[in-house]
Amino acid sequence: MMCPICKKPADLSPRNRFRPFCSERCQMIDLGTWASGDYKVEGSQAADNEHHDDLKKRRLLN
Ligand SMILES: [Zn+2]
């Protein structure tokens, strides 16, 4: 099983709390909290969800 973000082998055993990602970094990337800095703004839940959906769509296109 590969990490869906960085494509490196990911540890899927229970000791990896970030699975299916390889690391916290990739989990954060998947959540869409890395690029825009939205995560620093409290009360922007709607914007975060929009961003997340956008990321998902882009990944499907790739
Ligand atoms: Zn990764």
Side-chain angles (χ1 to χ4, degrees):
M1 180 69 186
M2 293 193 309
C3 171
I5 301 300
C6 68
K7 312 298 185 195
K8 285 194 276 194
D11 181 3
L12 294 185
S13 67
R15 68 201 158 98
N16 176 15
R17 64 189 181 97
F18 306 114
R19 65 188 192 280
F21 309 103
C22 70
S23 65
E24 181 177 19
R25 180 179 157 275
C26 288
Q27 187 184 50
M28 289 294 112
I29 289 172
D30 187 69
L31 291 172
T33 56
W34 59 295
S36 61
D38 281 349
Y39 65 93
K40 290 175 186 166
V41 183
E42 288 184 24
S44 63
Q45 208 66 40
D48 282 350
N49 289 340
E50 239 172 71
H51 185 61
H52 191 189
D53 287 341
D54 195 46
L55 274 180
K56 266 199 225 162
K57 274 180 224 153
R58 252 181 282 161
R59 202 175 310 140
L60 285 175
L61 289 174
N62 290 335

